[in-house]
Amino acid sequence: METVLLSDSEADLIKAAELIKNGEIVGIPTETVYGLGADASNENAVRNIFAAKGRPADNPLIVHLADFSDVVNYTRSVPELAYKLAEHFCPGPLTMVLPKNDSIPMVTSGGLETVGIRVPSHPIMHRIIQLSGRPIAAPSANTSGYPSPTSANHVMRDMNGKVAAVVDGGESEFGVESTVIAIESESRVRILRPGCVTREMLLEYCDEVIIDHAILNELEAGETAASPGMKYKHYSPKADIIMVEGELEAFTEYVSKHEPDKSFSLIFDGDEGSFPYRYMTYGGNSLQQAHQLFAKLRELDDIGAEKVYVRAPSKEGVGLAVYNRLIRAAGFEVIRI
Ligand code: AMP
Ligand code: MG
């Protein structure tokens, strides 16, 4: 199949929407990362998404809507708290897991009776949903297991020949996938995957926000995942990622003792001055790190890095999302110094 690169012109967005109505898959920019979009109610189209990504069939897809009020068409019941959160965080990088109805096929929900619903704020994604008139299932547009794509070029690298089109919308603003939450009562939510809507932000609108155990810990054998994506090795470049947590001086000393000439380091903006080995930087604060992380992991592969020491980010605020992606890329090993 030839993959067409589309622009953000209205004519091209109409083409993208037509493709989706015809059951094709399109790479689409969103404010989090690029998604692989298809009609969420079309089982064949959804199966093709899983095939293009090499994604395990039990890893559910998020369904994207143009407006949160459309949620009633795809769910059995919606708690008041979901509407309250939607008022403040939709459109935006928040996914709410809700009981699905029969218009969402089981292939889309990975066999679950629930569906993750998100209303993206990116004008291109928003327009394509409107023009297609369909709910759009869209996982991240990477090959399963590899870092998520934050540019059309990344999508082309992974999906050229596998999808009908990719719309170029420049770099993704946030750079990490949406915050996924389960609503456990009218006053309590559980974060299943951290993103740019943080625990602190959610706490303004409900009494209790639980950080699911699987966000920072590897699941035990036999333990079921509240969020199925959490059980797979994820976000990994080809290079071996080693997370090292500590001050710059201790980090540098650790690298110096572990074959520094055979590795790269991924350090913070501002660390460069006194760092004597090969490095790349990935931002100076959590928002910058979220924005840059996946692109840097891909770049490290492009330059042939085999071993990468990463200076572990903060776990505060948006930092938790960055830490969560990195700890998976590192296979859950963190060296604390
Ligand atoms: P991705 O599409 O690559 O952003 O991954 C979506 C992730 O959201 C999945 O891997 C799940 O962990 C989570 N998710 C989506 N739908 C559900 C659901 N119905 N229940 C729990 N987690 C979900
Ligand atoms: Mg993904």
Side-chain angles (χ1 to χ4, degrees):
M1 165 188 312
E2 198 205 335
T3 302
V4 185
L5 192 61
L6 297 174
S7 74
D8 62 356
S9 70
E10 179 73 0
D12 273 6
L13 301 191
I14 292 172
K15 274 186 210 158
E18 286 301 318
L19 287 168
I20 284 174
K21 282 201 261 184
N22 291 331
E24 301 282 350
I25 307 175
V26 180
I28 310 175
T30 86
E31 70 276 22
T32 57
V33 301
Y34 274 67
L36 273 191
D39 179 350
S41 61
N42 179 332
E43 292 191 28
N44 257 330
V46 169
R47 274 197 198 96
N48 289 336
I49 293 183
F50 281 90
K53 282 182 60 79
R55 183 175 174 107
D58 66 351
N59 194 356
L61 305 186
I62 291 169
V63 173
H64 298 76
L65 306 177
D67 196 291
F68 192 74
S69 60
D70 299 336
V71 71
V72 291
N73 299 323
Y74 308 103
T75 53
R76 276 185 280 118
S77 61
V78 183
E80 272 311 306
L81 181 56
Y83 285 106
K84 185 163 148 195
L85 293 174
E87 234 176 79
H88 298 281
F89 299 112
C90 296
L94 179 69
T95 297
M96 297 189 234
V97 173
L98 299 166
K100 75 170 197 71
N101 71 16
D102 290 343
S103 15
I104 300 296
M106 280 293 189
V107 265
T108 305
S109 68
L112 298 174
E113 287 296 342
T114 53
V115 60
I117 297 283
R118 181 162 100 82
V119 181
S121 66
H122 196 292
I124 294 180
M125 178 59 148
H126 187 260
R127 187 73 183 134
I128 293 175
I129 304 172
Q130 268 186 336
L131 288 167
S132 70
R134 301 282 199 277
I136 295 187
S140 51
N142 52 299
T143 299
S144 203
Y146 204 60
S148 297
T150 55
S151 72
N153 184 36
H154 294 159
V155 182
M156 272 300 200
R157 285 244 186 144
D158 286 18
M159 293 298 152
N160 197 1
K162 296 182 174 177
V163 301
V166 175
V167 184
D168 191 348
E171 272 181 33
S172 302
E173 179 191 347
F174 292 118
V176 291
E177 304 84 346
S178 60
T179 303
V180 178
I181 60 168
I183 298 174
E184 299 193 328
S185 77
E186 288 295 353
S187 60
R188 187 175 73 231
V189 307
R190 176 180 295 269
I191 299 184
L192 302 178
R193 176 177 73 185
C196 287
V197 172
T198 62
R199 173 168 190 267
E200 294 70 27
M201 288 160 78
L202 291 164
L203 270 174
E204 302 230 347
Y205 308 102
C206 50
D207 298 339
E208 210 183 333
V209 178
I210 298 164
I211 306 275
D212 195 73
H213 171 78
I215 284 175
L216 292 177
N217 300 284
E218 194 167 13
L219 289 174
E220 307 285 326
E223 192 180 348
T224 40
S227 177
M230 290 293 175
K231 70 185 178 204
Y232 298 107
K233 180 159 175 158
H234 240 118
Y235 316 116
S236 304
K238 292 188 208 90
D240 198 11
I241 300 291
I242 299 134
M243 241 171 121
V244 182
E245 197 165 335
E247 293 304 316
L248 177 61
E249 208 173 302
F251 176 90
T252 310
E253 194 190 326
Y254 182 87
V255 174
S256 77
K257 290 182 181 152
H258 293 83
E259 305 186 295
D261 41 326
K262 291 193 181 155
S263 65
F264 276 85
S265 291
L266 192 55
I267 55 180
F268 305 159
D269 285 9
D271 286 353
E272 311 91 303
S274 54
F275 193 74
Y277 308 114
R278 289 188 298 184
Y279 69 85
M280 268 191 208
T281 58
Y282 74 116
N285 62 44
S286 297
L287 268 176
Q288 292 168 355
Q289 290 173 348
H291 178 75
Q292 293 182 33
L293 177 67
F294 288 140
K296 293 296 166 106
L297 292 180
R298 283 175 176 259
E299 226 176 297
L300 283 158
D301 269 358
D302 292 344
I303 59 174
E306 287 178 7
K307 188 176 266 198
V308 180
Y309 295 105
V310 182
R311 207 173 153 210
S314 148
K315 283 179 242 174
E316 299 299 312
V318 172
L320 185 65
V322 182
Y323 198 101
N324 165 268
R325 304 318 186 265
L326 270 169
I327 202 176
R328 283 177 164 67
F332 288 96
E333 244 184 88
V334 183
I335 292 153
R336 294 192 174 84
I337 46 174

